[in-house]
Amino acid sequence: MENIGRKIPDRLNVVYGDVTLGVKGEAEGKAFHYIFSYAAGGPASFCIDGREWLYRAPRPVFWRAVTDNDRGCGFALASGIWLAADMFIRCMGISVAVDGKEIPLPCAPANNIYTGTETAHSVQIVYTYETITNPSARVTVAYRTEASGEITVDARYFGQKGLPELPVFGMRFVMPTCAERFVYEGLSGETYPDRKAGGVEGIHEVAGLPVTPYLVPQDCGMHVDSHWLEVWRSTGLDNSRRGKEAKALRFEMDKLAFSCLPYTAEELENATHQEELPPPRRTVVCIYGAVRGVGGIDSWGTDVEEAYHVDAGEDICCSFRIVPCAS
């Protein structure tokens, strides 16, 4: 009975641009517009209810900033190639499927067959990447958008023998401004695969984007075994929304790890002291399908226990949903 008189969205408007694929619609009274770029090799815009959630195209993430224990056991020297892979990656191919059926890539001039009035129940675009490692590894990232505005992200790393162990694998989303807070369901505090016994299951709220004040900046803010994350922002790049009500973007996951910080791993890596970190300007959300442990048995050479290594020769999947919040 509660749905009487309420429009249930069942179709997306699809816009086949020269160098982009656009999808738009409205759900729960909120308009959404998503742009997937061919030239940028990833999504260029996630705009929901007038608020932009992307600063740059999301990318696969392979690196977490080196910890004291990583330095002690020589991990950074053995696996440093993944830092370069995290910073530079090639998009080798793009495919598009509409309502489950793959179509020829609709870029110019092939897109001239479309009228601008096309609709669909779902649209999926898949980006295929190649790492700059030697040997190279392949990664695919699929974004499937439904009429509700929800996006299912499926990132897959295809294992390559001969590569050093991975620090992490997942997806990185950089948002245009700093978040005021984030809320998540999972274990309390900062947790890692081998450092989570003290975490308490529940719903936790974190004010701001705290960075653990280590003498030398390093990886921090990891939350493993998480079920969902909401990132709350009120500002935009042009400050037109300053003082406006904060809105959230929600990531739903099945016991994956995440971090929500004002810096990328490279920015943390580049600072040798806390005061060398740049002023916080962005929100960097990483969703991880695999995370190497941090060890901590000692900081003078003992490696992470075997169960907490990430083998680059094995396939890794990282799947989750991006959901416009109703509130």
Side-chain angles (χ1 to χ4, degrees):
M1 295 294 293
E2 63 183 8
N3 290 329
I4 293 178
R6 176 183 167 193
K7 184 179 179 181
I8 306 299
D10 62 352
R11 299 191 75 83
L12 293 160
N13 295 112
V14 187
V15 181
Y16 300 96
D18 288 346
V19 293
T20 60
L21 175 70
V23 295
K24 60 181 180 177
E26 184 175 324
E28 301 292 338
K30 297 180 184 297
F32 59 88
H33 304 78
Y34 306 150
I35 298 175
F36 299 90
S37 172
Y38 309 139
S45 175
F46 288 165
C47 187
I48 302 168
D49 198 24
R51 178 162 293 144
E52 178 59 66
W53 287 93
L54 289 184
Y55 179 66
R56 291 290 186 268
R59 283 288 186 268
V61 58
F62 305 102
W63 190 256
R64 59 162 174 76
V66 173
T67 66
D68 288 336
N69 200 66
D70 291 332
R71 295 185 185 94
C73 70
F75 175 73
L77 298 175
S79 294
I81 187 63
W82 290 114
L83 172 58
D86 193 88
M87 297 177 67
F88 307 106
I89 193 167
R90 303 184 186 97
C91 181
M92 305 299 291
I94 302 170
S95 64
V96 174
V98 178
D99 289 336
K101 181 179 180 180
E102 187 168 341
I103 63 173
L105 187 65
C107 59
N111 63 325
N112 290 329
I113 66 173
Y114 298 102
T115 65
T117 60
E118 285 77 16
T119 62
H121 293 292
S122 68
V123 175
Q124 176 171 281
I125 183 165
V126 181
Y127 296 92
T128 299
Y129 302 95
E130 183 181 78
T131 66
I132 63 170
T133 55
N134 186 18
S136 62
R138 183 166 63 96
V139 175
T140 61
V141 182
Y143 299 88
R144 189 180 74 248
T145 306
E146 309 290 346
S148 63
E150 296 182 3
I151 304 172
T152 299
V153 183
D154 184 57
R156 294 180 180 271
Y157 166 87
F158 295 89
Q160 178 63 262
K161 299 296 183 183
L163 289 174
E165 293 176 7
L166 278 157
V168 295
F169 173 71
M171 288 296 296
R172 176 176 57 238
F173 298 82
V174 181
M175 299 176 180
T177 58
C178 286
E180 283 83 5
R181 59 190 171 98
F182 63 91
V183 184
Y184 70 97
E185 182 179 1
L187 299 176
S188 61
E190 182 178 280
T191 52
Y192 285 82
D194 55 350
R195 291 290 180 270
K196 62 180 183 178
V200 177
E201 184 77 32
I203 296 176
H204 311 283
E205 181 172 336
V206 179
L209 298 170
V211 175
T212 306
Y214 296 114
L215 180 64
V216 177
Q218 53 195 278
D219 191 64
C220 61
M222 188 70 70
H223 303 275
V224 301
D225 293 353
S226 301
H227 305 291
W228 54 261
L229 162 70
E230 289 181 357
V231 181
W232 290 81
R233 293 172 47 239
S234 62
T235 56
L237 270 180
D238 60 359
N239 289 323
S240 63
R241 291 180 172 268
R242 185 175 296 278
K244 301 288 186 179
E245 180 184 3
K247 300 291 183 181
L249 190 65
R250 182 181 175 100
F251 298 83
E252 295 184 348
M253 59 199 90
D254 183 16
K255 293 194 74 174
L256 298 182
F258 78 88
S259 61
C260 188
L261 297 167
Y263 304 117
T264 63
E266 290 77 23
E267 287 173 315
L268 290 170
E269 200 76 72
N270 195 50
T272 57
H273 294 87
Q274 286 288 325
E275 63 269 20
E276 295 175 4
L277 289 169
R281 294 186 176 91
R282 316 280 178 232
T283 302
V284 181
V285 174
C286 294
I287 309 294
Y288 303 102
V291 177
R292 173 184 166 88
V294 289
I297 299 169
D298 57 52
S299 292
W300 302 274
T302 301
D303 199 358
V304 173
E305 293 183 2
E306 189 62 34
Y308 306 110
H309 291 229
V310 181
D311 186 352
E314 301 293 330
D315 295 350
I316 305 171
C317 177
C318 179
S319 297
F320 54 93
R321 293 194 308 158
I322 301 174
V323 181
C325 281
S327 58

